[in-house]
Amino acid sequence: MQVLFNGGFVPEEEAAVSIFDRGLCYGDGLFETLRVSHSRPFRWTEHLNRLAHGAKVLGIDLPYSAKELSAQAAEIIQRSALRQGLLRMMLSRGQGPRGYSPRGAKEPWLAMSVHPLPAATLRKPACWRLVLSSYRVQANDALACLKTCNKLHQVLARREAEDQGGDEALLLNTRGYVAEASSANLFWIEDGSVFTPPIGSGALEGITRGVVFEICSRLGIRCREHNCRVGHLKSAQGVFLTLSSLGIVEAGSLDGVALRRSAATQQIRVAYEQLLHL
Amino acid sequence: MQVLFNGGFVPEEEAAVSIFDRGLCYGDGLFETLRVSHSRPFRWTEHLNRLAHGAKVLGIDLPYSAKELSAQAAEIIQRSALRQGLLRMMLSRGQGPRGYSPRGAKEPWLAMSVHPLPAATLRKPACWRLVLSSYRVQANDALACLKTCNKLHQVLARREAEDQGGDEALLLNTRGYVAEASSANLFWIEDGSVFTPPIGSGALEGITRGVVFEICSRLGIRCREHNCRVGHLKSAQGVFLTLSSLGIVEAGSLDGVALRRSAATQQIRVAYEQLLHL
């Protein structure tokens, strides 16, 4: 598979960076993973805006304009002949003098690649087993809501969950409230309303999370941000996860305790699939 | 300069990794920076132990034994003809299937490189201007005390400090207590005793931090862990920082307020330099 690296198409095995790249040394970069549906990147503008916002917070100059990135995305999808799949973008601050200071690092780079859909997408609708993680995310952290390349807490939380036979990890924040799953935002249903932790909880500002707010508004379902303790999820009418690669995934259990299943989850999932295949 | 990469010596420009390396995608790796003094890596065993401990927490198999790594370190220093400088090691989980789960990533790699001493070392003893950061580290975080490749908080804290004319950033933890500087541990002096935040504060478990405990014990200075608020530092008898690359560095000011200078800092610094040049 060819990847777009530094503005040109190269075979995947030639897309390589120095071991002194700051993305590698310090996770000093950002990424985006988008669903490609009918050869188009789903919610492209939202993902691009999040990348641009993150780049601003990190102080990394995006090496291409929004127009150029849009053209590059269209071209890599077209070249790959991918109708359904994933598009990945990665931005790194690139190389610079040794040490944390980003001064002198003036050559950021951006890569774009396409990937097949994860196997889980193809056998949907599945139901995930959640495992509460011992790792926490930081409440009120300016970086937590961005898709940065600092994802070790998520990596190790996922590892813990898988080691315990789970599909996904549930992370609390430093205040003890539910924040997110390792690679997904979390929602729960109560009294017919849909709830999700606020961004300040340490949750990523997921694009699919935003789509759920839109769908709920259209369906006349009340959807709002709320902090909750983990025990609360066990008595909720339903719990579901949102992630760009898989869309809406219902949570079937938490630490081995079966969660209730809600018709609203299916309603939102169907509406999401309709949007995706428009 | 040649670097040791995957067990062989290659020119620096040939030491490159895939853009899909997990070290790059998620900061899924560890590093160490050691001072080289008289062609020997200072506190080699301690750094190696920290790397091995971190690898165990992350679940990454170190690709070489302690004996092999020691031989590699000796060889790269000898080849570089470096008498005074820095030795850097980096460990990454390597490539694996897309996504946070580390399953299937079975080819970790390790790189070793040598670097000249930072300019600041050569014009010592300097006195650093500290700037309080808006970023925080996580108290009671299993990862905070490790030298992982997730260092964006430290990178951005340093950037903030430099933008305000400072040399180094001071980070509080999520509970509001002083934790560390972006690339250094922090100590303060009070009533003739030396204090530093506990490891659970979110501070890195610095090797030079450990050396200060040893030195204090030998000099008959009481040294212990304690939590403190930032205001407390302004009334301390002295504040200093410890980092492997530079050793002991006195803090001269915090957010523009001059800090007191203590003879004890100089005493500890002199003892450290003696150890380094033994």
Side-chain angles (χ1 to χ4, degrees), chain A residues 22 26 28 58-60 93-107, chain B residues 152 154-163:
Chain A
R22 293 179 60 92
Y26 312 125
D28 196 359
L58 268 58
I60 301 178
R93 200 187 300 269
Q95 260 188 274
R98 203 196 53 78
Y100 293 156
S101 171
R103 281 195 181 167
K106 306 219 175 289
E107 292 184 22
Chain B
L152 256 182
Q154 286 75 8
V155 166
L156 297 186
R158 176 71 72 91
R159 179 167 167 259
E160 270 184 341
E162 290 181 348
D163 285 351

Side-chain angles (χ1 to χ4, degrees), chain A residues 17 26 101 141 149-150 153 162, chain B residues 17 26 101 141 149 153 162:
Chain A
V17 300
Y26 312 125
S101 171
D141 177 18
C149 296
N150 273 214
H153 287 91
E162 290 181 346
Chain B
V17 300
Y26 312 125
S101 171
D141 178 18
C149 296
H153 287 92
E162 290 181 348

Side-chain angles (χ1 to χ4, degrees), chain A residues 235-254:
Chain A
S235 60
Q237 290 169 318
V239 177
F240 65 91
L241 305 165
T242 62
L243 60 174
S244 292
S245 59
L246 298 174
I248 317 283
V249 179
E250 195 165 20
S253 66
L254 172 56

Side-chain angles (χ1 to χ4, degrees), chain A residues 134-135 152-153 155-160 163, chain B residues 28-30 49-62 91 93 102 141-148 205:
Chain A
S134 68
Y135 292 95
L152 256 182
H153 287 91
V155 165
L156 296 185
R158 176 71 73 91
R159 180 168 167 259
E160 270 184 340
D163 285 350
Chain B
D28 195 359
L30 297 158
N49 287 347
R50 184 170 65 182
L51 182 71
H53 170 64
K56 202 171 168 187
V57 174
L58 268 57
I60 301 178
D61 290 329
L62 267 175
L91 173 71
R93 201 188 300 271
D141 178 18
L143 296 180
C145 58
L146 303 175
K147 219 161 165 66
T148 75
E205 192 156 3

Side-chain angles (χ1 to χ4, degrees), chain A residues 192-205:
Chain A
S193 292
V194 171
F195 298 89
T196 194
I199 290 308
S201 70
L204 182 81
E205 192 157 3

